[in-house]
Amino acid sequence: MNTRQLTELGQQLRVDSVRAAAAAGSGHPTSSMSAADLLAVLFAHHLRYDFDRPAHPGNDRFILSKGHASPLLYAAYKAAGAINDTELMTFRRLGSRLEGHPTPRRLPWVETATGSLGQGLPVGVGIALSGKRLDRVGYRVWVLCGDSEMAEGSVWEAAEHAGYEHLDNLVAIVDVNRLGQRGPTRHGHDLDAYARRFRAFGWHTVEVDGHDVDAIDRAYGEAVSTAGQPTAIIARTLKGKGVASVQDREGLHGKPLPDADEAIEELGGVRDLRIEVRQPPAARMLHAVRAGHLELPRYETGDEVATRNAYGQALAALGTARGDVVALDGEVSDSTRAEFFAKEHPDRFFECYIAEQQLVAAAVGLAARGWVPYVSTFAAFLTRAHDFVRMASISGAGINLVGSHAGVAIGQDGPSQMGLEDLAMFRAVHGSTVLYPCDANQTAKLVAEMAGREGVRYLRTSRGEMPVLYGPNEEFPVGGSKVLRVSPQDRLTVVAAGATVHEALKAADALAADGISVQVIDLYSVKPVDRRALREAAEHTGCLLTVEDHHEEGGLGDAVLDAFLDGRPTPRLVRLAVRTMPGSASPEEQLHAAGIDAESIAASAKLLVENAVVR
Amino acid sequence: MNTRQLTELGQQLRVDSVRAAAAAGSGHPTSSMSAADLLAVLFAHHLRYDFDRPAHPGNDRFILSKGHASPLLYAAYKAAGAINDTELMTFRRLGSRLEGHPTPRRLPWVETATGSLGQGLPVGVGIALSGKRLDRVGYRVWVLCGDSEMAEGSVWEAAEHAGYEHLDNLVAIVDVNRLGQRGPTRHGHDLDAYARRFRAFGWHTVEVDGHDVDAIDRAYGEAVSTAGQPTAIIARTLKGKGVASVQDREGLHGKPLPDADEAIEELGGVRDLRIEVRQPPAARMLHAVRAGHLELPRYETGDEVATRNAYGQALAALGTARGDVVALDGEVSDSTRAEFFAKEHPDRFFECYIAEQQLVAAAVGLAARGWVPYVSTFAAFLTRAHDFVRMASISGAGINLVGSHAGVAIGQDGPSQMGLEDLAMFRAVHGSTVLYPCDANQTAKLVAEMAGREGVRYLRTSRGEMPVLYGPNEEFPVGGSKVLRVSPQDRLTVVAAGATVHEALKAADALAADGISVQVIDLYSVKPVDRRALREAAEHTGCLLTVEDHHEEGGLGDAVLDAFLDGRPTPRLVRLAVRTMPGSASPEEQLHAAGIDAESIAASAKLLVENAVVR
């Protein structure tokens, strides 16, 4: 397209953005208008993408990090022939694929859900890493960012990662329209403020007038020809560009234009230009090839093994069997034991350093390219990436997250290192799976099992050694549980998982010596829970005593309730959990101080029996 | 102290770090040894601090962001005469104040809990903001950072905030010992890599040999005399400095030295040098002065008011009555309505832009200086700061967090903007308070009420307008609830909060027309819950139907269980919550699609009655 045509195309994208928002009665047309020329030139001249084959391995990837500018994206889809005008006008309606913020669950051309700012670039880094290190395909990743989101630390985690890894297949386009939601950004139209920061992190930068289509064209060309560095294109734009009543004015974020018809006329009216988006070069996926026999590690019952060790060993084995498994860690692989995978499969291991947002975002990006990522760090530090996990679930991304150092059982390091809210955090993620194994063989099986689940899957591992309870041939389906002690004389059921399973067994033995029989259930699948087993236990003993190395809210105790929410009679429920703020102490002292060790379980059970609370 | 004495002091801090870790059998001596000279010179020459009066308003503030180097901090406390050697040797023992990572709940000289990396500098920014803009006291904030934690985006949120605000009372000291936990950092001993980044964000930088006490002394002097900019001192150090067997070597993070006695000998043996820490200049606290009559906004029952509006108006009123109330927002104050406060009290409003980690950290820093901060952004985006909230609770920080745009009821913007896991996140925070008002008068009262609570307090507000249910004189104690409908004929109890209260009332009316009477409870205090009211309801109807605009895990439905966890008979429980992934639609359509609108509640109640599940 020549200059005039590109300019016209930019105007068309503006007009269609205004129309879509007007039809919806909401949305962000002014944020779309600032970036219209940037997107017009990208789609018309530089993006290589087959809209009929979004899974084409050679496709470039485009991420709209400023997801609220969705009208612009959808207008570009229309210009590219991917959707028609009728669909464009369904924007933000019930059932429409064109949501307020784009998501890949709805639209095949969207790489990742956006709408929480500062996430597009970190996910783009994950896709670019895949292109460079795994796919070995020459696709390019284009990320359109807002200037407001440059305040998010996650953007600088991404800048650091991309600069360090020399991701020259990654281009950040920053739409510097100087106005955030509430008002002016920190740096206004000071393009160099942004360029300086990117350069400090090792990026090539280009500053450009974001409404000069030829200059934009040259900037993209410069990005494409830059080797050894990612490129940031810092574009000076005007919010609401092209309509005098809204252009470069405050107080107009996230609102349809006051007079759409007038604005459309001012923009030159409705057009119907079509973009011939360039086809991607031929390419083939490499990683789908290998899938061999899985030889999980096997542990002898009675041996003392930390579940984090079993995680690392099982993951290494899974990586041997499956060529599509990759691992990422936040600079603690010696603790999480992801190092076992890293040593055996260094080509598929990603060191993400202490940047948990980028860590999870990279996994989302890798999952978007078809890889099966396992992410590990301390359970406590996964809270750092909570918003990324939340957005991953909106994307429908299949990622495995593994949090080590669960609970007070870690001992001396103290509360800052203890995962005590991770079960609550992951249970509340839509469509998630939450697993908490208590022994090495169970861990190994669950590591393999979780790969086959949809959505976000979480595995909680422990720091200390624990006896192996189960033989290596035992199976542990997700949604299942294990009854470890049962007899007709049981007075109550102790429901435990992970570290507390071993405490529960010790308590059951001590109680048995006192003539009190209790059932013990290992509820390794915290979500989904084994409703049948819990209901049977309720019928069997009428009282469930849950014991968890986690805060009392949102964890195992709450999970048990899932079995009884259809109005059926609920058993009596008693909960032992971490209710105090721990300090430093040995693991045994910690479990005792928190009231979740064998002694506390036995004492609680006795109290219930003595007070005739249980039958 | 002269060069020799400072050098000796550094060695003493090393020796005491080695001794403390050896006595504990765990800890991070090598990470302490790299920074020993940096801390020796700081405590001996530059820090102004009265250890007998940690609350002295003129005190400089020191934050050990690399909290795992706690042995070094405690060794410095000993050298300063704040603790004795006997206490030093209790490091990491049960009951000791000297935890694995320092916390202010235990030690009066600690400003904020550290141990999750990348948090010290953002909290330091909060304290420095207080010094500059509120206290107007000339204290200086010194933050000792590790080099590994420079990968955390939160560090660059802090760098951006401090640079933009010209916080020349803030000094970051980066201990570049080139080794992280697992191995080498990205940038090794490339000091300029760090300096470049800080400079790009507007900082003054000094590169220094971190084991040359005179050079360190000069660097601190340069920091003190730098006006208009924060200063970052980038210090080249060696991990394990001074002991050949561990110095600058991998694989020795977080472990006591292999041979402590030999190491102590190599370091020149045990010493007992005392530091005379400089006294702070006289200063007085200003903000404690004002505390006037609170005139909360009053709303007419039946009017339609969004609870977010009531939040902003009540906060503005609270700010008028109390001079110690401050507000912070993440660039969405026009949406959260914190703008009402900002307009009336611009001197006590902090715009933190889209950087939620820094937003919450600034509040933690302000709370450490005695201010009562209210932090607002969309509920969904508070997940970005989850780890900071977790650490705030370990600090015992008194902060108020307000999340707007709760639930599917926001409508068209779609799931990325919907707070659907915030109740779960905040309930699982140790010692937290979680409030969810359904009308404007209730909101206003709770905004004032929450200021008086300990720890982390969370208030959830809604986007849309809702009818005012309560008169302006009604009281809403934390831990309470309101019975909105009750009669002897009630077949079940609907428990709701926020938006669903209005749906529950509509459902109750519709059911009454069909001859089915139900009790309705407004459970505005989600944590602590009103156990008495819930138990009475259980006795009254035997079945609780909970309805929440939140994912089904960890929210209102789970909270209700808290009333029944002591082994007493549990009522039948039925839960309505958001179980599907929402798209874009109108608020009414969203509530209906999620099955939490009046129609869904009535249908569920009918089903329970027809199936004779309820009596």
Side-chain angles (χ1 to χ4, degrees):
Chain A
M1 286 187 168
N2 60 28
T3 305
R4 195 192 52 77
Q5 288 168 315
L6 286 171
T7 305
E8 279 294 299
L9 179 61
Q11 292 293 80
Q12 171 174 320
L13 299 184
R14 287 187 178 92
V15 167
D16 282 347
S17 297
V18 169
R19 291 174 61 229
S26 72
H28 299 75
T30 58
S31 305
S32 299
M33 292 157 82
S34 61
D37 300 313
L38 294 167
L39 210 62
V41 179
L42 181 65
F43 272 55
H45 280 188
H46 295 273
L47 190 74
R48 297 166 300 180
Y49 196 88
D50 185 343
F51 278 90
D52 294 328
R53 297 164 66 204
H56 191 299
N59 276 342
D60 279 358
R61 310 287 151 180
F62 175 72
I63 296 174
L64 183 72
S65 188
K66 47 176 288 184
H68 54 286
S70 54
L72 173 64
L73 181 69
Y74 304 147
Y77 286 166
K78 180 195 141 187
I83 65 171
N84 62 27
D85 197 67
T86 310
E87 184 167 10
L88 182 65
M89 292 301 116
T90 66
F91 178 51
R92 285 176 164 247
R93 294 261 169 82
L94 180 66
S96 169
R97 295 193 295 177
L98 310 185
E99 293 191 18
H101 298 78
T103 91
R105 281 180 306 101
R106 303 273 179 152
L107 287 169
W109 317 293
V110 174
E111 303 295 330
T112 188
T114 51
S116 178
L117 290 168
Q119 301 213 7
L121 195 60
V123 173
V125 166
I127 299 177
L129 282 169
S130 180
K132 275 276 170 194
R133 285 187 44 188
L134 300 173
D135 305 343
R136 309 267 175 83
V137 171
Y139 59 75
R140 194 166 300 282
V141 184
W142 307 86
V143 184
L144 179 61
C145 303
D147 48 353
S148 275
E149 65 178 317
M150 294 295 116
E152 283 287 8
S154 55
V155 168
W156 303 104
E157 293 183 11
E160 178 71 273
H161 201 115
Y164 182 74
E165 299 278 354
H166 307 288
L167 298 180
D168 52 15
N169 56 345
L170 178 67
V171 184
I173 307 159
V174 188
D175 174 23
V176 185
N177 66 20
R178 102 170 172 84
L179 290 173
Q181 166 178 325
R182 174 215 47 85
T185 59
R186 273 196 181 107
H187 301 296
H189 270 139
D190 179 3
L191 300 192
D192 192 51
Y194 300 105
R196 253 194 332 266
R197 286 159 175 73
F198 274 105
R199 280 197 302 270
F201 284 91
W203 288 52
H204 178 66
T205 63
V206 188
E207 298 177 32
V208 69
D209 175 349
H211 300 309
D212 177 339
V213 291
D214 293 321
I216 295 167
D217 205 21
R218 285 191 301 273
Y220 290 156
E222 186 172 330
V224 168
S225 63
T226 297
Q229 281 181 299
T231 295
I233 293 167
I234 318 292
R236 185 187 195 282
T237 64
L238 297 176
K239 201 160 176 170
K241 164 75 177 176
V243 175
S245 62
V246 299
Q247 183 174 303
D248 201 30
R249 287 177 66 167
E250 287 186 47
L252 294 160
H253 180 94
K255 294 172 186 164
L257 263 50
D259 189 328
D261 290 337
E262 202 175 276
I264 292 165
E265 202 183 313
E266 188 176 344
L267 290 164
V270 176
R271 298 165 181 79
D272 195 18
L273 294 172
R274 270 294 301 275
I275 312 172
E276 289 302 325
V277 174
R278 288 170 64 190
Q279 287 295 301
R284 67 185 183 91
M285 292 296 273
L286 299 172
H287 64 78
V289 184
R290 261 198 305 147
H293 175 67
L294 173 59
E295 195 82 59
L296 282 176
R298 300 167 68 86
Y299 304 93
E300 291 291 316
T301 54
D303 279 4
E304 297 271 331
V305 184
T307 54
R308 59 178 170 148
N309 276 18
Y311 165 66
Q313 288 158 354
L315 186 62
L318 191 65
T320 302
R322 292 181 61 155
D324 58 353
V325 165
V326 299
L328 308 91
D329 192 273
E331 215 275 314
V332 286
S333 56
D334 53 334
S335 284
T336 61
R337 307 303 200 221
E339 65 181 3
F340 297 135
F341 182 98
K343 273 173 199 153
E344 289 193 31
H345 312 289
D347 50 321
R348 282 183 273 141
F349 178 74
F350 296 84
E351 175 59 73
C352 293
Y353 297 90
I354 308 180
E356 293 80 6
Q357 297 185 89
Q358 177 58 62
L359 172 68
V360 171
V364 171
L366 289 161
R369 298 298 309 113
W371 303 95
V372 180
Y374 282 73
V375 170
S376 51
T377 184
F378 285 25
F381 304 141
L382 283 171
T383 57
R384 202 67 161 254
H386 190 165
D387 196 31
F388 283 76
V389 173
R390 185 180 74 86
M391 292 299 296
S393 88
I394 294 174
S395 284
I399 56 173
N400 305 287
L401 301 166
V402 181
S404 69
H405 293 64
V408 300
I410 67 162
Q412 287 85 352
D413 272 339
S416 65
Q417 317 294 301
M418 295 171 175
L420 285 169
E421 47 288 289
D422 52 323
L423 296 178
M425 168 176 151
F426 283 106
R427 279 184 68 241
V429 171
H430 177 74
S432 65
T433 299
V434 180
L435 306 170
Y436 182 19
C438 70
D439 97 339
N441 283 318
Q442 192 180 53
T443 304
K445 286 286 169 71
L446 291 174
V447 167
E449 185 92 6
M450 66 197 291
R453 303 284 299 178
E454 296 286 310
V456 173
R457 317 127 197 179
Y458 177 61
L459 181 85
R460 186 185 217 218
T461 67
S462 299
R463 176 176 181 273
E465 293 180 342
M466 298 193 283
V468 177
L469 292 179
Y470 302 104
N473 296 325
E474 194 114 18
E475 294 301 327
F476 302 94
V478 170
S481 66
K482 292 285 172 186
V483 176
L484 288 169
R485 296 275 195 282
V486 66
S487 91
Q489 286 74 43
D490 291 337
R491 307 285 293 271
L492 60 84
T493 304
V494 181
V495 181
T500 59
V501 168
H502 304 278
E503 300 301 318
L505 290 175
K506 278 184 265 178
D509 293 344
L511 286 163
D514 286 352
I516 299 172
S517 179
V518 301
Q519 184 183 22
V520 177
I521 291 182
D522 168 12
L523 200 70
Y524 62 84
S525 180
V526 178
K527 181 182 173 189
V529 288
D530 189 342
R531 291 186 174 144
R532 210 174 83 177
L534 291 170
R535 288 168 183 177
E536 282 173 8
E539 283 184 22
H540 176 51
T541 67
C543 178
L544 308 185
L545 172 65
T546 59
V547 196
E548 60 192 305
D549 194 355
H550 183 275
H551 286 157
E552 58 186 317
E553 300 89 359
L556 197 71
D558 282 350
V560 161
L561 191 56
D562 287 359
F564 306 100
L565 282 174
D566 55 356
R568 72 181 58 217
T570 314
R572 292 169 193 261
L573 296 166
V574 184
R575 182 179 299 173
L576 302 182
V578 180
R579 291 198 169 84
T580 52
M581 179 59 74
S584 284
S586 73
E588 297 72 27
E589 289 168 337
Q590 298 276 19
L591 290 170
H592 187 68
I596 56 172
D597 65 343
E599 202 177 306
S600 307
I601 298 168
S604 298
K606 265 190 193 163
L607 202 70
L608 292 166
V609 168
E610 280 162 12
N611 292 346
V613 172
V614 296
R615 62 199 178 204
Chain B
M1 285 188 167
N2 61 29
T3 304
R4 195 191 53 76
Q5 287 168 317
L6 286 172
T7 305
E8 278 294 298
L9 179 61
Q11 291 294 80
Q12 172 174 321
L13 298 184
R14 286 187 179 92
V15 167
D16 282 347
S17 298
V18 170
R19 290 174 62 228
S26 72
H28 299 74
T30 58
S31 304
S32 299
M33 293 157 82
S34 62
D37 300 313
L38 293 166
L39 211 61
V41 178
L42 182 65
F43 272 55
H45 281 188
H46 295 272
L47 189 75
R48 297 165 302 179
Y49 197 87
D50 184 343
F51 277 90
D52 294 328
R53 297 165 63 204
H56 190 300
N59 276 342
D60 279 358
R61 310 287 151 182
F62 175 73
I63 295 174
L64 183 72
S65 187
K66 47 178 285 184
H68 54 287
S70 54
L72 173 64
L73 181 68
Y74 304 147
Y77 286 166
K78 180 195 143 188
I83 65 170
N84 62 28
D85 197 69
T86 310
E87 185 167 9
L88 181 66
M89 292 301 116
T90 66
F91 177 53
R92 285 174 165 248
R93 295 261 169 82
L94 179 66
S96 170
R97 296 192 296 176
L98 310 184
E99 292 191 17
H101 298 77
T103 90
R105 282 180 306 102
R106 303 274 179 151
L107 288 169
W109 317 293
V110 173
E111 304 294 329
T112 188
T114 51
S116 179
L117 290 168
Q119 302 214 4
L121 196 60
V123 173
V125 167
I127 299 178
L129 281 169
S130 180
K132 276 276 170 195
R133 285 188 45 189
L134 300 174
D135 305 344
R136 308 268 176 82
V137 171
Y139 59 75
R140 193 165 300 281
V141 184
W142 306 86
V143 184
L144 179 60
C145 302
D147 48 354
S148 276
E149 66 179 316
M150 294 296 118
E152 283 286 9
S154 56
V155 167
W156 303 105
E157 293 183 12
E160 179 71 272
H161 202 114
Y164 182 74
E165 298 278 353
H166 306 289
L167 298 181
D168 54 14
N169 56 346
L170 178 67
V171 185
I173 306 159
V174 188
D175 174 23
V176 186
N177 65 23
R178 100 168 174 86
L179 290 173
Q181 165 177 325
R182 175 214 47 84
T185 60
R186 274 196 180 107
H187 301 296
H189 270 138
D190 179 2
L191 300 193
D192 192 51
Y194 299 105
R196 253 194 332 267
R197 286 158 175 74
F198 273 105
R199 280 196 302 270
F201 284 91
W203 288 52
H204 178 66
T205 61
V206 189
E207 298 177 32
V208 68
D209 174 350
H211 300 308
D212 177 339
V213 291
D214 293 321
I216 296 168
D217 205 20
R218 286 192 300 273
Y220 289 157
E222 186 172 330
V224 168
S225 64
T226 297
Q229 282 181 297
T231 296
I233 293 168
I234 318 292
R236 184 186 194 282
T237 64
L238 298 176
K239 200 160 176 171
K241 163 74 178 176
V243 175
S245 61
V246 300
Q247 182 173 301
D248 200 30
R249 288 177 64 168
E250 288 186 46
L252 295 159
H253 180 93
K255 295 172 186 163
L257 263 51
D259 189 328
D261 290 338
E262 202 175 277
I264 292 165
E265 201 183 313
E266 188 175 343
L267 290 163
V270 177
R271 299 164 181 78
D272 195 17
L273 295 172
R274 270 294 301 276
I275 311 171
E276 288 303 322
V277 174
R278 288 169 64 188
Q279 286 295 303
R284 68 185 183 91
M285 292 297 271
L286 299 173
H287 64 80
V289 184
R290 258 195 312 143
H293 175 67
L294 174 59
E295 195 82 58
L296 283 176
R298 301 166 69 86
Y299 304 93
E300 291 292 315
T301 55
D303 279 4
E304 297 270 333
V305 184
T307 54
R308 59 177 171 149
N309 276 19
Y311 164 66
Q313 289 158 351
L315 186 62
L318 191 65
T320 302
R322 292 181 60 156
D324 58 353
V325 165
V326 300
L328 308 92
D329 192 273
E331 217 274 315
V332 286
S333 57
D334 53 334
S335 284
T336 61
R337 306 304 199 221
E339 64 182 1
F340 296 136
F341 182 98
K343 273 174 198 152
E344 289 194 31
H345 312 288
D347 50 321
R348 282 183 273 140
F349 178 75
F350 296 83
E351 175 57 74
C352 294
Y353 297 91
I354 307 180
E356 293 80 7
Q357 298 186 86
Q358 177 58 61
L359 172 68
V360 171
V364 171
L366 289 161
R369 299 296 310 114
W371 302 95
V372 180
Y374 282 73
V375 169
S376 50
T377 183
F378 284 26
F381 304 142
L382 283 171
T383 56
R384 204 65 162 254
H386 190 166
D387 196 31
F388 283 77
V389 174
R390 185 181 74 87
M391 291 300 295
S393 88
I394 294 175
S395 284
I399 56 173
N400 305 286
L401 301 166
V402 181
S404 69
H405 293 65
V408 300
I410 68 163
Q412 286 85 353
D413 272 340
S416 66
Q417 318 294 300
M418 295 172 174
L420 285 169
E421 48 287 289
D422 53 324
L423 296 178
M425 168 177 151
F426 283 107
R427 278 185 67 241
V429 171
H430 177 74
S432 65
T433 299
V434 180
L435 306 169
Y436 182 18
C438 69
D439 97 339
N441 284 317
Q442 192 179 53
T443 304
K445 287 285 170 71
L446 291 174
V447 168
E449 184 92 4
M450 66 197 290
R453 304 283 299 179
E454 298 285 310
V456 173
R457 315 126 199 181
Y458 177 61
L459 181 86
R460 186 184 216 219
T461 68
S462 300
R463 177 176 180 274
E465 293 180 343
M466 298 193 281
V468 176
L469 292 180
Y470 302 104
N473 296 324
E474 194 114 17
E475 295 299 328
F476 303 94
V478 171
S481 67
K482 292 284 172 189
V483 175
L484 288 170
R485 294 276 194 283
V486 66
S487 90
Q489 287 74 43
D490 291 337
R491 307 285 293 271
L492 60 83
T493 304
V494 181
V495 181
T500 59
V501 168
H502 305 278
E503 301 301 318
L505 291 174
K506 279 183 264 178
D509 293 344
L511 287 163
D514 286 351
I516 300 171
S517 179
V518 301
Q519 183 183 21
V520 176
I521 292 182
D522 169 12
L523 200 70
Y524 62 84
S525 181
V526 178
K527 180 183 174 189
V529 287
D530 190 342
R531 290 187 174 143
R532 211 175 82 176
L534 291 170
R535 288 169 183 176
E536 282 173 8
E539 283 184 23
H540 176 50
T541 67
C543 179
L544 308 186
L545 172 65
T546 61
V547 196
E548 59 193 305
D549 193 356
H550 183 275
H551 286 156
E552 58 186 317
E553 301 88 0
L556 197 71
D558 282 351
V560 161
L561 191 56
D562 288 358
F564 306 99
L565 282 174
D566 54 356
R568 74 180 57 217
T570 314
R572 290 169 194 263
L573 296 167
V574 183
R575 181 179 299 174
L576 301 182
V578 181
R579 292 199 170 84
T580 51
M581 178 59 72
S584 284
S586 74
E588 297 71 28
E589 289 168 336
Q590 297 277 17
L591 290 170
H592 186 68
I596 55 172
D597 66 343
E599 202 176 306
S600 307
I601 298 168
S604 298
K606 266 190 194 164
L607 203 69
L608 292 166
V609 168
E610 280 163 13
N611 292 346
V613 172
V614 295
R615 64 198 177 204

